[in-house]
Amino acid sequence: MATVAFIGLGVMGYPMAGHLKSRGGHDVTVFNRNNAKAEKWADAFGGSHAPTPAAAAEGKDFVFSCVGNDDDLRSVTIGENGAFHGMKQGAIFIDNTTASAEVARELDAEARKRGFHFLDAPVSGGQAGAENGALTVMVGGEADAFERAKPVIESFAKMVGLMGSAGAGQLTKMINQICIAGLVQGLAEGIHFGKKAGLDIEKVIEVISKGAAGSWQMENRHKTMNAGKYDFGFAVDWMRKDLGICLAEAERNKAKLPVTALVDQFYKDVQESGGSRWDTSSLLARLEK
């Protein structure tokens, strides 16, 4: 059993912290900006909660974070009462936020100065993956720190891989989101085309999902897309944030992302149509309006 802190109890962090306690058996202290949610988590899982990130992190072996963006991450780490002020020597900070590779490298350098380790470890699998403890975790950082942290991370993951040095986890997550964007747009166009052609979409998917067109998105989202229901996962607002990170990184490394840039604009259309909180499969709604 390890001593663990978890900072950020959103739709992902809440169940992830829960798995660290219930499945991993660790001693878990949580922090959340909304203290009522931290109290609720502590009551539900039998852990404890702290008034600041620094207090949550103090003396812990492992400290996790899962917050909104680069600025949020800086706030809970190096900001006033941030977790980095409470980290003990040799501890490991594991960030599960989807953020930029730049902030990962920045915080890795700061952690080194302070005598502890930093791993950027964004996740994929959505709310369902978090709730089921079946996330995929892409990690950047030192190999020794990764090996120490891996058994703890596995409390909420089905796959944990070291991608390279600091920032490599975030870069891998960018590739993940780039691939998803194209797949969802293709699926949306396929369903839209099938409807216009007068085909039975369920019969079509039953057949093509077993061939080269098959994907996680097809298996898990086609039914709700076909029914015009878009409240089953990762919100459009968050996808646009992630694609913005991808496109900014592409500007830096000179990668060409024409499809990603186009789909990002399609998601902007969805936002402007009132679908900011719909899930990413709502690209179909844009075609059907």
Side-chain angles (χ1 to χ4, degrees):
M1 181 184 75
T3 56
V4 176
F6 202 104
I7 299 164
L9 301 176
V11 295
M12 301 293 286
Y14 192 98
M16 290 163 69
H19 287 302
L20 285 164
K21 176 65 177 175
S22 58
R23 183 187 291 180
H26 301 295
D27 179 4
V28 182
T29 300
V30 299
F31 167 80
N32 194 65
R33 283 182 295 186
N34 178 348
N35 190 57
K37 196 166 189 181
E39 291 179 348
K40 178 183 177 182
W41 184 94
D43 289 341
F45 292 99
S48 58
H49 60 94
T52 66
E58 187 173 1
K60 302 299 191 298
D61 301 317
F62 301 92
V63 180
F64 290 80
S65 63
C66 190
V67 293
N69 56 37
D70 286 19
D71 290 341
D72 293 331
L73 181 56
R74 289 188 179 97
S75 176
V76 300
T77 53
I78 57 177
E80 184 179 2
N81 295 317
F84 277 24
H85 303 302
M87 299 286 292
K88 70 178 182 180
Q89 296 287 300
I92 302 175
F93 191 98
I94 303 147
D95 177 45
N96 300 123
T97 308
T98 296
S100 70
E102 180 181 15
V103 75
R105 297 185 189 110
E106 172 189 328
L107 295 177
D108 174 69
E110 186 62 31
R112 289 171 185 266
K113 290 180 187 175
R114 296 172 183 249
F116 59 90
H117 307 279
F118 179 88
L119 299 174
D120 54 291
V123 302
S124 180
Q127 184 176 348
E131 292 173 351
N132 295 327
L135 293 170
T136 295
V137 188
M138 300 147 265
V139 185
E142 297 173 325
D144 288 349
F146 170 76
E147 291 301 332
R148 285 172 53 199
K150 184 180 178 183
V152 183
I153 298 171
E154 287 175 334
S155 299
F156 55 72
K158 66 177 181 180
M159 175 64 189
V160 185
L162 180 63
M163 301 293 102
S165 60
Q170 296 296 352
L171 292 170
T172 303
K173 179 61 184 288
M174 292 176 209
I175 295 170
N176 187 81
Q177 302 305 77
I178 290 166
C179 293
I180 288 173
L183 284 171
V184 177
Q185 179 62 21
L187 179 58
E189 291 184 16
I191 292 173
H192 176 65
F193 180 91
K195 286 183 173 182
K196 290 294 186 181
L199 297 175
D200 184 322
I201 297 300
E202 288 302 319
K203 288 183 178 179
V204 170
I205 298 296
E206 182 181 4
V207 172
I208 69 171
S209 65
K210 304 306 185 289
S215 68
W216 186 96
Q217 297 294 334
M218 183 176 287
E219 289 285 350
N220 290 276
R221 289 288 177 264
H222 82 272
K223 288 183 181 293
T224 51
M225 290 172 75
N226 193 35
K229 298 178 180 178
Y230 304 115
D231 56 351
F232 292 89
F234 194 60
V236 168
D237 279 349
W238 292 114
M239 187 59 158
R240 284 216 73 208
K241 181 212 75 167
D242 289 2
L243 294 182
I245 292 170
C246 298
L247 294 167
E249 185 65 31
E251 284 287 324
R252 284 189 284 271
N253 69 16
K254 307 305 179 186
K256 298 174 182 178
L257 303 179
V259 173
T260 303
L262 186 61
V263 175
D264 178 58
Q265 291 305 300
F266 293 164
Y267 278 124
K268 182 181 179 183
D269 291 346
V270 174
Q271 286 178 316
E272 292 174 350
S273 297
S276 293
R277 303 306 300 170
W278 291 348
D279 70 58
T280 52
S281 69
S282 57
L283 287 172
L284 177 59
R286 176 185 171 274
L287 299 174
E288 296 187 331
K289 68 181 180 180

